[in-house]
Amino acid sequence: MPETPLPVRLLVCVTCRREGDDPEAPRQGARLRDALAGMLPDDVELQPVECLGNCKRSCTVALSAPGTWTYVFGDLTAESGPDILTGIGLLAHSSDGLMPWRGRPEVFKRSMIARIPPLSTLKDAAE
Amino acid sequence: MPETPLPVRLLVCVTCRREGDDPEAPRQGARLRDALAGMLPDDVELQPVECLGNCKRSCTVALSAPGTWTYVFGDLTAESGPDILTGIGLLAHSSDGLMPWRGRPEVFKRSMIARIPPLSTLKDAAE
């Protein structure tokens, strides 16, 4: 486990709605972003994105850090901030670029949408 | 449209099976990779990956190029090579980092799993 946590980049789709949401109400993804803004450590870079392409299983976030895989998670709500915070902690302390399974919040076990390896892994594999 | 096509990196999940596949047969994702290896232009970097995390809607590929978004597509089969080749061409000629909707093969319209912006876009947005 690295001594210094890796700086995590968190992308939040602010366009996401959930089925049955009031179309006049603020979007669930935007509410999730607002909630996260108030609870993240300073070294986490929070970036709103208009559509991460996972519209069928919204709300959606993507997490990555230098040298780690990029993870996309779905089926989230405006109240998922604490679970996302747990996932950020797991990735920030990863020593192999992967988010460990153990310790993941349930929604991160059940609702991984995709994961993409870092460029460095691919270069190693090609050598 | 750029004059020189962008070099596309294509990740193919070689672990993917399709529901109902013979468990003794070579995996559909590995067969897709083999098929692609015989049809891609030299400037496309083909990389097999063990699990892109989209197990519910396999087979799966991810496409990106320098400065473009990364796209994850699912619901593919060992016979999807020609459609993937079309998608690669669209991304290689993108002038704004996005894969245009027009011209996409049907499976790329129907089965986008996720898309992730390039770091450069995020830096621009933050400035």
Side-chain angles (χ1 to χ4, degrees):
Chain A
M1 186 175 287
E3 289 179 17
T4 308
L6 299 169
V8 172
R9 179 173 69 120
L10 173 66
L11 310 180
V12 180
C13 174
V14 293
T15 319
C16 273
R17 294 189 192 283
R18 298 272 298 191
E19 207 175 309
D21 277 355
D22 175 0
E24 301 299 318
R27 287 168 187 255
Q28 190 116 204
R31 288 170 49 212
L32 174 60
R33 186 266 319 266
D34 292 346
L36 285 162
M39 66 175 71
L40 293 177
D42 286 346
D43 58 347
V44 175
E45 183 188 358
L46 174 63
Q47 288 278 0
V49 178
E50 290 190 2
C51 194
L52 289 165
N54 174 45
C55 312
K56 289 184 184 165
R57 294 179 66 187
S58 60
C59 299
T60 313
V61 300
L63 283 76
S64 63
T68 77
W69 290 59
T70 297
Y71 290 84
V72 182
F73 295 102
D75 300 329
L76 301 166
T77 71
E79 283 71 48
S80 296
D83 283 343
I84 295 168
L85 204 54
T86 301
I88 288 171
L90 291 173
L91 195 62
H93 291 95
S94 167
S95 56
D96 60 1
L98 294 162
M99 183 183 291
W101 190 259
R102 189 172 178 164
R104 281 196 199 185
E106 272 307 306
V107 71
F108 273 27
K109 290 184 177 173
R110 196 176 62 234
S111 300
M112 182 162 69
I113 302 301
R115 61 172 208 169
I116 297 160
L119 275 172
S120 54
T121 302
L122 297 168
K123 282 179 186 154
D124 289 348
E127 278 167 4
Chain B
M1 187 175 286
E3 289 179 17
T4 309
L6 299 169
V8 172
R9 179 173 71 119
L10 173 66
L11 310 180
V12 181
C13 175
V14 293
T15 319
C16 274
R17 293 189 192 284
R18 298 273 297 191
E19 206 176 309
D21 276 356
D22 176 359
E24 303 298 318
R27 287 170 187 255
Q28 191 117 204
R31 288 169 49 212
L32 174 60
R33 187 266 320 268
D34 292 347
L36 284 163
M39 64 174 73
L40 292 177
D42 288 344
D43 58 350
V44 175
E45 183 188 358
L46 174 64
Q47 288 278 358
V49 178
E50 290 190 3
C51 193
L52 289 165
N54 175 45
C55 312
K56 289 185 184 165
R57 295 179 65 187
S58 60
C59 298
T60 312
V61 299
L63 284 77
S64 62
T68 77
W69 289 59
T70 297
Y71 289 84
V72 182
F73 294 102
D75 300 329
L76 301 165
T77 71
E79 282 72 47
S80 296
D83 283 342
I84 295 168
L85 204 54
T86 301
I88 288 171
L90 291 173
L91 194 61
H93 290 95
S94 168
S95 57
D96 59 1
L98 294 163
M99 183 183 290
W101 191 258
R102 190 174 178 160
R104 282 196 199 185
E106 273 306 306
V107 71
F108 273 27
K109 291 184 178 176
R110 197 176 62 233
S111 300
M112 182 162 68
I113 302 300
R115 62 172 206 167
I116 296 160
L119 275 173
S120 55
T121 300
L122 297 169
K123 283 178 185 154
D124 290 348
E127 279 166 2

